[in-house]
Amino acid sequence: MSHPRDAQNAPQPPYPFEIRSSGIQGMGAFATRAIPIGERLIEYAGERLTPAQAEERYPDVAGERHHTFLFAIDDDVVVDASVNGNEARFLNHSCAPNCDVVIDQKRLWIEAIHDIEPGEELVYDYAFVLEERHTPAAKKRYPCHCGAITCRGTMLAKKR
Ligand SMILES: [Zn+2]
């Protein structure tokens, strides 16, 4: 059912990065060649759920860490990268990102927002938003160790 424009825009493997252990956390994605700003790298793939289905699968309990492979496209669709996900789920969070997730035609894509050198880790700002207030305790449940000078110490988004 893909539109011709989708096929043209959709990056295909081999992707310009490799998955290996990261100094930020666990595994990460590292550029295997120079990547120019604006390049679309990979789809953030996963099972598509309604918000109700996502809530049923991962109940959002205040005071507990919620599931980090969920990505809301809009009010109707949530992508769960832990089911049918791809290498995009290995990208780590950073407060000084070189990539971002963009929504195009109801799909999620990782795109470079800076020129990236070979060997650089690909990172984007998760900017999680919780239902509850972003208190210091909540921020601590999502600590950030990205090492950036501008690190805000948490993967939670600034709320207003
Ligand atoms: Zn940080």
Side-chain angles (χ1 to χ4, degrees), residues 123-139:
V123 285
Y124 65 95
D125 189 338
Y126 288 7
F128 290 137
V129 176
L130 305 183
E131 296 288 324
E132 64 191 289
R133 291 184 57 224
H134 289 182
T135 59
K139 289 177 183 170

Side-chain angles (χ1 to χ4, degrees), residues 70-152:
L70 292 179
F71 206 117
I73 290 184
D74 53 26
D75 289 343
D76 303 321
V77 182
V78 177
V79 172
D80 181 1
S82 63
V83 181
N84 299 325
N86 59 10
E87 294 89 334
R89 72 186 191 278
F90 290 105
L91 268 72
N92 277 314
H93 162 91
S94 172
C95 302
N98 54 17
C99 292
D100 200 1
V101 181
V102 300
I103 300 168
D104 184 12
Q105 299 184 30
K106 291 237 172 199
R107 289 162 73 180
L108 300 167
W109 307 92
I110 308 280
E111 288 187 3
I113 57 171
H114 292 298
D115 291 332
I116 298 171
E117 301 291 322
E120 229 181 287
E121 180 163 4
L122 307 181
V123 285
Y124 65 95
D125 189 338
Y126 288 7
F128 290 137
V129 176
L130 305 183
E131 296 288 324
E132 64 191 289
R133 291 184 57 224
H134 289 182
T135 59
K139 289 177 183 170
K140 261 190 205 157
R141 293 202 311 277
Y142 300 86
C144 180
H145 306 292
C146 73
I149 291 169
T150 52
C151 181
R152 56 184 190 268

